[in-house]
Structure formats: structure tokens, C-alpha cells
Amino acid sequence: MLREPAADDRAALVELMASPEVHAFLGGARSREEVERALPTEPARRPGLFVVDFDGATIGIVTLDRRDPERPGRGGGAIELGYLLLPDVWGRGFAVEACAAALRWLDDVLPGEPVVLTTQTANSRSMRVATKLGFVELDRFEEFGAEQWSGIRRA
Ligand SMILES: CC(C)(COP(=O)(O)OP(=O)(O)OC[C@H]1O[C@@H](n2cnc3c(N)ncnc32)[C@H](O)[C@@H]1OP(=O)(O)O)[C@@H](O)C(=O)NCCC(=O)NCCS
């Protein structure tokens, strides 16, 4: 289930943000202390920020945000899909299922809006998720010392 963040998601969100495995292709994790300090007690809520809930357990987040036009690569200013799941649930199809639901939500609120996503080419799980969701290559570029792949999904 996708839902808005609640106060008792905090522990799982700290786990997610401080996990070296989750951030292996995202420039490395921040320390648990740093994440604890940075994360507000009352979670931020905005349209396009979803917690992924599986049978009452918080297992990750899916985001739809405008990509900063100052960032390298094509697709600046477009809506960008992001996804992070806790490692113990990887490989069970949750990422594809959760992202597809978020994209359906977007198709309802902003019909016709294209969506981009960016991932390191070395992040093979994430590349697979992008392909399964129907994203096609838009660009490849270097950022954070690694090759990045950006894909686009036209409505
Ligand atoms: C990317 C991520 C969300 C994928 O989650 P997931 O739940 O494993 O994804 P799914 O199970 O829905 O699908 C993964 C696909 O990768 C495949 N896969 C599983 N293990 C794999 C591996 N070791 N290498 C490559 N592909 C793998 C799965 O088989 C599946 O494809 P298939 O259904 O065709 O077999 C998860 O690994 C994650 O949170 N990573 C850290 C955060 C991140 O890198 N996010 C991407 C940047 S936005």
C-alpha cells in the first residue's frame, strides 16, 4: 500500500537513510546519528511522497519530485521517480509494484505528464526496475564519479 508518512514510520525511515546497502549506488549512506538529527519527528508530507507499507510494515519510500534543472543530464524540470526499499524485502517485486501504483496516481492527477528517472548504470536491480516500468533511455552522463542512466516514460 502507498500512503503518506506517519510519525511511527521514523525508525524504518532512519534505517532506510542510514543503510550502506541502500546507498551503495547513491553516493554512500549518512551515519545513523546524522540521519537521526536531520529527520523531523513529524514527517514531511507532500503530494508525490509515499511510504510503501506491506502488511503494516514500513518497507520503503517512492517519490515523484521535479528534477532540479541545474543537475547534469537531460530531463531537468521534469517529474522524477525515486525509489528506496529496505534490503530485506528486495527481489520480491515490491519496487515495480509500488512504482507502478505511484505512476498510476500521477497519471490521474497530471494526465499526460512525462516522468524521468536517474540511476547508476551499475545499479542493475534499479535498471531492471526502470525497464520493467517502461522507461526508455534518455541520456547517460557522469555524476558523483559514476555513470548515470536517465530514462523517460511518456504517458
Ligand atoms: C532498486 C530497488 C528499489 C529494487 O527493489 P526490488 O524490490 O529488488 O525490485 P523488484 O523485486 O521489484 O525488481 C527487481 C528486479 O531486479 C531483479 N533482480 C533481483 N536481484 C537482482 C540482482 N542481484 N541483480 C540484478 N537484478 C536483480 C529482480 O529479479 C527483478 O527483475 P525480474 O522481476 O525481471 O526478475 C532496491 O534494490 C533498492 O531500494 N535499492 C537501493 C535504492 C536505489 O538504488 N534506488 C534506485 C535509485 S532511485
Side-chain angles (χ1 to χ4, degrees), residues 5-67:
D8 58 6
D9 292 322
R10 198 168 190 280
L13 295 181
V14 168
E15 200 61 41
L16 195 65
M17 296 307 165
S19 160
E21 231 177 320
V22 170
H23 290 82
F25 298 103
L26 305 174
R30 290 184 289 169
S31 73
R32 181 170 292 272
E33 294 69 35
E34 206 184 328
V35 174
E36 287 278 6
R37 270 198 309 273
L39 214 64
T41 337
E42 259 313 298
R45 295 194 181 100
R46 62 174 189 276
L49 168 61
F50 301 102
V51 157
V52 187
D53 182 312
F54 176 61
D55 265 1
T58 305
I59 60 167
I61 57 170
V62 172
T63 56
L64 288 164
D65 289 308
R66 293 258 169 218
R67 182 172 172 82

Side-chain angles (χ1 to χ4, degrees), residues 124-143:
S124 44
R125 279 178 184 272
S126 177
M127 289 290 289
R128 189 82 194 109
V129 169
T131 305
K132 291 187 83 173
L133 290 169
F135 283 79
V136 294
E137 184 168 315
L138 178 66
D139 199 8
R140 283 179 193 238
F141 57 94
E142 287 282 315
E143 193 180 21

Side-chain angles (χ1 to χ4, degrees), residues 21-23 25-26 81-86 89-97 118-119 123-126 128-129 132:
E21 231 177 320
V22 170
H23 290 82
F25 298 103
L26 305 174
L81 174 70
Y83 37 86
L84 306 179
L85 294 184
L86 287 169
V89 302
W90 289 3
R92 295 165 63 183
F94 289 135
V96 172
E97 186 178 339
T118 308
T119 190
N123 192 348
S124 44
R125 279 178 184 272
S126 177
R128 189 82 194 109
V129 169
K132 291 187 83 173

